[in-house]
């Protein structure tokens, strides 16, 4: 394990990123499809395959049994100049089947045809039942050494650098669904530690719908599209979901989170992550503590507004994938700090009256602060989506010395389920030999054969004990630091199908979450409930959910009832008094602006200040995108190139908007009367205004604001000096949005 100072590692990575951006006077638009520049004519001179792009990476070249090969990562890619069969025979033609004459029947002996079509017919593997739509990237985790008093895991040591692979995902939608749907998001991290792989398989919501894993098929069946019509896709706005959660009230806390802005993140880069369950940590002295894992994004927690999400799912259903890949390609490496909440390991496994084995409950950070233990940086995109992201197999049972599970009944079902599902999805038990899943340490497991066995096992005695193979493999003694489950005493008990009394409180923490939100966040929750329940057909389901909400908060219930046109129920329990947790609100702080995208509308006839503003944006680690009536160079001298046109640009792509000009209607604009400003510019401005984004303008750009009816209001920056406009707009961008523009109508 390499040991470096975490601060220096992080600083070096950031310096390289800034250096890369500032050195380029005209950096390419992120998203270039390949590493080469295509020619107009089809290339005909044989050459080796092109290398991957600079931002791409592949799994380490270790053998199926964990030995480093020393081979370059490209050795796992295609080789040679010529097209071949899978057995390596060179082919002269792949456009024509072998036939009995040019108009005759195709011959059965055409091996190339059969092999090519056979492989194509079997290209797809079963998608995940949940978390099917995902996106991954490679990175590095650097430990701070601050966890040593509670955990002996080596990867948490001071300056220890561990390679990782992270996969983000939505839960409900299929692989072909959209990114910006209202859903829980997966945040799964595979640490390739020197003690074996550790998988932290979490979500962006700290609690779950259910307390016991036996109900997992029920919640997923309820949330998935209706089985008769296979609609609606990737959303919970339908009868079966609300039928389940309104009758199964332990889901209430998670439902509040899912109806909040947390369920429509602006970016994976601005998404918090949670381990959900309580784990047991053990230090070098054998002392144990209980813990919950948290991922804190460096850029802060930031979400879409509902209209943005709807627009994105039509305009760019791959928005979150593209955002992450483009950020990494442009050197704006996303970062998350890993933290832990620590609790005493008591026999009752509770803390401040909160049952730590109940996955529908969280512990407020004000009661147990999140202690930082390391930094995750994603710095390489995948080389091949299928080979890496789709075939990545995570498992909550992949643990390392110092980290163990607790008796959370949902966690225990996951320990069974993850292994079981890979057998079908990855067609056999050898899925850990797939390159992206291979550990970076020696593997000697005594498992043999099976589908897709890639190891060439030696010896004749894959059993213990043996003497024929000299006793190998040997069980590890204490000096070798093996993984040993904590010898936790078990209570005297009878076999029962029931839960502890503490699991019966389904509303207190839902109320805690509601009361911790800012007024604008509460308003968004009300609108989300109103929209989702409004899409339900059965009136009884709507009324039943209102009864649930009455147990959470009267005002919440009344406002949702008003939106549905239904009377608010007069029955329901008296909500408990709780202390709000400010940490649960994602509004009110200021955050770094690294990697934020600023759209700049320009008029090619007036480029005053554009070059200077663009260079400043790049130097500050943000991404400028110039928007002009048409593509290509903006003039003959400036070297400025339009990266978006008024036809291809849409407001949802930008975190803030600058107006350096007010282009008149272009030739490809829809007729819009005698407007002096292109109607697409007006639309971009109006959308940014409605979505509470910062907007700045100078010179003729102010005319676009006036044409859009958005010349005044909070977050509108006007000045004759472009540099001043940018500075003030960037300051506003640090708070994500200008919520003051639209005061909330809720307390």
């Amino acid at each position: 394990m390499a040991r470096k100072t975490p601060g220096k590692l992080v600083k070096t990575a950031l310096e390289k990123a800034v250096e890369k951006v500032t050195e380029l006077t005209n950096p390419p638009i992120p998203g270039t499809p390949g590493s080469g520049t295509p020619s107009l004519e089809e290339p005909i001179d044989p050459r080796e395959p092109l290398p991957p792009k600079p931002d791409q990476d592949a799994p380490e070249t270790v053998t199926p049994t964990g030995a480093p090969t020393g081979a370059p990562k490209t050795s796992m890619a295609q080789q040679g100049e010529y097209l071949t069969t899978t057995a390596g025979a060179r082919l002269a033609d792949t456009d024509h089947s072998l036939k009995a004459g040019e108009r005759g029947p195709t011959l059965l002996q055409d091996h190339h045809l059969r092999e090519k079509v056979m492989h194509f017919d079997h290209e797809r593997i079963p998608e995940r039942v949940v978390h099917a739509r995902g996106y991954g990237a490679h990175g590095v985790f650097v430990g701070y050494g601050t966890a040593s008093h509670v955990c002996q895991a080596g990867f948490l040591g001071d300056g220890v650098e561990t390679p990782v692979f992270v996969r983000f995902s939505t839960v409900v939608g299929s692989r072909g669904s959209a990114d910006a749907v209202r859903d829980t998001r997966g945040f799964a991290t595979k640490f390739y530690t020197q003690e074996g792989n550790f998988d932290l398989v979490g979500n962006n919501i700290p609690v779950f719908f259910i307390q016991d894993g036996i109900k997992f098929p029920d919640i997923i069946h309820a949330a998935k599209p209706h089985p008769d019509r296979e609609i609606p896709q990737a959303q919970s706005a339908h009868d079966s979901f609300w039928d389940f959660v309104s009758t199964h009230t332990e889901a209430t806390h998670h439902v509040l989170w899912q109806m909040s802005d947390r369920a429509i993140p602006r970016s994976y880069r601005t998404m918090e992550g949670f381990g959900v369950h309580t784990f047991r940590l053990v230090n070098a002295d054998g002392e144990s503590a209980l813990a919950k894992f948290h991922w804190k994004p460096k850029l802060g927690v930031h979400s879409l507004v509902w209209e943005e999400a709807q627009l994105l799912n039509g305009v760019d259903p791959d928005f979150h994938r593209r955002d992450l890949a483009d950020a990494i390609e442009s050197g704006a490496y996303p970062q998350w700090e890993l933290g832990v909440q620590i609790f005493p390991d008591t026999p009752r496994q509770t803390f401040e009256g909160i049952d730590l084995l109940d996955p529908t409950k969280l512990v407020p950070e004000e009661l147990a602060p999140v202690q930082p233990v390391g930094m995750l940086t994603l710095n390489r995109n995948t080389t091949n989506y299928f080979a890496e992201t789709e075939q990545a197999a995570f498992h909550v049972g992949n643990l390392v010395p110092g980290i163990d599970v607790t008796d959370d009944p949902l966690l225990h079902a996951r320990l069974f389920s993850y292994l079981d599902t890979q057998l079908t999805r990855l067609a056999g038990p050898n899925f850990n030999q797939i390159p992206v899943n291979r550990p970076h340490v020696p593997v000697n497991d005594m498992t043999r054969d099976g589908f897709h066995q890639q190891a060439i096992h030696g010896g004749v005695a894959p059993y213990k004990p043996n003497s024929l193979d000299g006793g190998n493999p040997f069980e590890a003694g204490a000096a070798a630091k093996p993984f040993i489950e904590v010898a936790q005493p078990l209570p005297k008990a009878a076999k029962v199908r029931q839960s502890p009394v503490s699991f019966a409180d389904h509303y207190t923490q839902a109320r805690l979450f509601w009361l911790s939100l800012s007024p604008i966040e509460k308003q968004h929750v009300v609108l989300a409930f109103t929209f989702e329940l409004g899409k339900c057909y059965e009136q009884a389901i709507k009324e039943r959910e209102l009864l649930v909400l009455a147990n959470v908060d009267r005002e919440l219930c009344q406002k949702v009832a008003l939106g549905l046109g239904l009377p608010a129920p007069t029955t329901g329990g008296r909500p408990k008094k709780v202390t709000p947790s400010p940490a649960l609100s994602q509004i009110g702080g200021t955050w770094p602006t690294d990697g934020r995208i600023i759209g700049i509308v320009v008029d090619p006839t007036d480029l005053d200040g554009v070059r200077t503003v663009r260079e400043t944006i790049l130097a500050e680690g943000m991404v400028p995108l110039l928007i002009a009536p048409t593509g290509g160079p903006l003039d003959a001298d400036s070297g400025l190139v339009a990266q978006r046109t008024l036809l291809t640009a849409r407001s949802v792509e930008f975190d803030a908007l600058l107006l350096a000009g007010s282009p008149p209607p272009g030739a490809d604009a829809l007729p819009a009367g005698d407007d002096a400003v292109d109607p697409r510019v007006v639309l971009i401005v109006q959308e940014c205004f409605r979505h509470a984004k910062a907007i700045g303008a100078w010179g003729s750009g102010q005319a676009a604001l006036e044409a859009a009816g958005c010349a005044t209001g909070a977050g509108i920056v006007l000045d004759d000096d472009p540099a001043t406009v940018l500075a003030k707009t960037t300051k506003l961008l640090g708070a994500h949005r200008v919520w003051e523009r639209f005061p909330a109508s809720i307390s």
Side-chain angles (χ1 to χ4, degrees):
M1 271 186 217
R3 302 179 67 87
K4 300 179 182 178
T5 304
K8 289 184 178 179
L9 282 166
V10 173
K11 183 180 179 183
T12 301
L14 292 175
E15 286 175 348
K16 286 182 179 177
V18 174
E19 197 176 282
K20 173 185 173 184
V21 173
T22 53
E23 280 180 357
L24 295 169
T25 56
N26 190 25
I29 305 172
T32 175
S35 59
T37 302
S39 58
L40 184 61
E41 299 80 18
E42 179 184 355
I44 58 174
D45 295 325
R47 57 160 297 163
E48 291 285 333
L50 293 173
K53 297 192 299 176
D55 63 290
Q56 294 177 328
D57 201 9
E60 290 294 329
T61 54
V62 294
T63 70
T65 52
T69 67
K73 294 180 181 180
T74 52
S75 65
M76 291 190 286
Q78 62 271 33
Q79 307 292 322
E81 312 100 298
Y82 298 104
L83 177 68
T84 73
T85 65
T86 58
R90 292 180 181 177
L91 293 164
D93 187 341
T94 193
D95 292 336
H96 305 93
S97 302
L98 188 65
K99 297 185 286 289
E102 63 181 26
R103 297 176 63 82
T106 300
L107 299 180
L108 186 62
Q109 75 178 72
D110 190 347
H111 170 68
H112 177 46
L113 166 67
R114 187 170 187 279
E115 181 181 70
K116 185 175 180 181
V117 174
M118 175 274 295
H119 200 283
F120 172 77
D121 289 344
H122 298 272
E123 274 185 4
R124 294 294 175 264
I125 64 174
E127 67 175 36
R128 290 166 168 88
V129 176
V130 288
H131 297 277
R133 183 173 180 83
Y135 201 74
H138 296 275
V140 63
F141 178 83
V142 180
Y144 293 164
T146 53
S148 60
H149 66 294
V150 291
C151 185
Q152 62 178 303
F155 77 97
L156 295 175
D158 185 16
V160 176
E161 189 174 339
T162 302
V164 299
F165 183 79
V166 178
R167 186 179 187 270
F168 303 102
S169 56
T170 53
V171 171
V172 176
S174 69
R175 270 192 65 186
S177 59
D179 281 352
V181 296
R182 181 178 293 282
D183 197 358
T184 304
R185 301 272 180 321
F187 192 134
T189 308
K190 186 179 291 292
F191 298 81
Y192 303 96
T193 86
Q194 290 301 299
E195 296 172 306
N197 287 355
F198 169 55
D199 292 351
L200 182 54
V201 194
N203 287 336
N204 74 322
I205 291 176
V207 294
F208 202 59
F209 290 104
I210 56 176
Q211 295 167 324
D212 192 310
I214 199 170
K215 292 174 285 193
F216 191 75
D218 300 307
I219 177 58
I220 299 305
H221 288 165
K224 284 284 189 177
H226 291 194
D228 55 349
R229 300 186 178 189
E230 187 63 11
I231 56 175
Q233 176 61 244
Q235 58 177 294
S236 53
H238 55 82
D239 288 75
S240 64
F241 174 80
W242 289 100
D243 181 39
F244 178 79
V245 299
S246 63
T247 54
H248 196 72
T249 55
E250 71 189 50
T252 304
H253 190 192
H254 189 113
V255 169
L256 262 289
W257 280 79
Q258 187 146 326
M259 294 303 107
S260 77
D261 294 340
R262 298 282 188 142
I264 44 175
R266 173 70 180 165
S267 164
Y268 293 137
R269 297 182 291 144
T270 59
M271 191 175 81
E272 206 164 5
F274 304 90
V276 179
H277 306 287
T278 300
F279 290 81
R280 180 170 278 109
L281 305 183
V282 183
N283 65 16
D285 296 324
E287 300 165 332
S288 65
L290 302 181
K292 285 183 176 289
F293 290 103
H294 294 248
W295 289 112
K296 298 287 188 181
K298 178 188 174 185
L299 299 181
V301 185
H302 182 30
S303 297
L304 298 164
V305 296
W306 182 232
E307 186 189 27
E308 275 186 303
Q310 295 178 84
L311 288 171
L312 277 168
N313 287 333
V315 174
D316 186 3
D318 303 303
F319 178 73
H320 287 153
R321 298 172 165 207
R322 193 184 317 281
D323 174 87
L324 180 65
D326 286 356
I328 292 172
E329 185 177 0
S330 62
Y333 300 141
Q335 292 185 307
W336 293 260
E337 194 165 52
L338 179 63
V340 289
Q341 287 179 296
I342 303 298
F343 321 105
D345 190 359
T346 62
R348 291 186 58 80
Q349 298 177 84
T350 62
F351 181 78
E352 297 289 339
I354 300 167
D355 195 324
L356 297 175
L357 300 186
D358 183 349
T360 68
K361 295 181 174 65
L362 55 79
V363 177
E365 294 182 28
E366 291 76 15
L367 297 179
V370 176
Q371 304 174 35
V373 297
M375 179 70 78
L376 166 68
T377 303
L378 295 183
N379 54 21
R380 286 291 181 269
N381 287 312
T382 57
T383 300
N384 183 276
Y385 175 88
F386 175 82
E388 298 164 81
T389 305
E390 188 63 17
Q391 292 196 118
F394 297 91
H395 179 34
V396 289
N398 284 343
L399 302 166
V400 291
I403 303 175
D404 202 357
V405 298
T406 55
D407 294 332
D408 178 334
L410 176 60
L411 176 56
H412 280 210
R414 294 179 73 193
L415 289 168
F416 170 82
S417 178
Y418 279 67
L419 272 182
D420 196 52
T421 192
Q422 310 301 355
L423 291 175
T424 297
R425 199 176 68 81
L426 297 174
N430 292 309
F431 50 83
N432 275 331
Q433 294 185 16
I434 296 171
V436 72
N437 298 321
R438 292 178 184 175
H440 295 184
V441 293
V443 173
N444 197 343
D445 52 21
M446 292 199 303
T447 60
R448 294 294 185 268
D449 309 336
F451 283 109
H452 311 300
Q453 177 60 255
Q454 299 169 57
I456 310 298
H457 293 106
V460 296
Y463 52 82
K464 288 289 293 180
N466 78 71
S467 63
L468 292 177
D469 283 344
N472 182 274
F474 297 91
E475 293 173 347
K481 296 183 178 179
F483 175 82
I484 299 176
E485 293 81 0
V486 176
Q488 189 69 15
L490 297 178
K492 181 180 179 181
K495 290 187 292 186
V496 295
R497 289 187 183 272
Q498 62 188 51
S499 296
V501 174
S502 58
F503 278 42
D505 181 0
H506 300 164
Y507 301 118
T508 300
Q509 287 222 329
R511 180 167 175 78
L512 165 68
F513 179 68
W514 166 256
L515 293 180
S516 301
L517 299 180
S518 65
I520 191 69
E521 290 172 299
K522 287 182 177 178
Q523 185 165 300
H524 292 168
V525 169
V526 168
L527 293 174
F529 270 107
T530 306
F531 173 84
E532 298 246 334
L533 290 169
K535 300 286 276 188
C536 291
Y537 181 87
E538 297 292 350
Q539 200 78 346
I541 292 176
K542 303 176 188 179
E543 294 174 0
R544 191 191 306 139
E545 182 59 25
L546 288 175
L547 287 169
V548 173
L549 295 182
N551 287 303
V552 176
D553 186 85
R554 291 289 181 188
E555 184 181 24
L556 167 63
C557 179
Q558 289 167 358
K559 288 191 175 292
V560 174
L562 181 64
L564 294 173
L566 295 173
T570 56
T571 58
R574 186 174 182 178
K576 292 184 178 180
K577 184 177 181 180
V578 297
T579 303
S581 169
L584 297 180
S585 171
Q586 63 183 62
I587 291 176
T590 56
W591 307 96
T593 57
D594 308 31
R596 302 302 170 90
I597 299 173
I598 298 182
I600 309 174
V601 174
V602 302
D603 183 339
T605 63
D606 181 12
L607 297 176
D608 239 8
V610 173
R611 172 188 282 279
T612 302
V613 164
R614 181 178 177 278
E615 289 176 350
T616 303
I617 292 172
L618 286 168
E620 293 181 359
M622 297 180 289
V623 179
L625 292 181
L626 300 182
I627 312 162
T630 59
L634 295 178
D635 63 10
D637 305 316
S638 69
L640 298 173
V641 177
Q643 295 157 309
R644 297 289 187 274
T645 68
L646 296 179
L647 181 64
T648 61
R650 198 65 190 260
S651 67
V652 286
E653 186 177 8
F654 314 122
D655 295 294
L657 183 69
L658 297 179
L659 297 160
S662 298
D668 59 345
L670 293 174
D674 299 325
D675 293 338
V677 180
D678 192 296
R680 293 165 296 186
V681 174
V682 172
L683 178 63
I684 289 174
V685 172
Q686 290 175 336
E687 287 179 348
C688 285
F689 188 87
R690 285 201 306 274
H691 302 157
K693 295 179 181 177
I695 304 173
W698 66 88
S700 62
Q702 298 186 32
L705 284 174
E706 294 168 0
C710 304
T712 59
I716 302 297
V717 180
L718 302 175
D719 200 279
D720 293 331
D721 177 26
T724 300
V725 171
L726 174 61
K728 291 182 178 180
T729 303
T730 302
K731 185 176 181 180
L732 291 169
L733 184 56
H736 298 315
R737 298 186 193 271
V738 188
W739 294 117
E740 300 85 352
R741 189 179 295 161
F742 305 111
S745 59
I746 196 168
S747 61

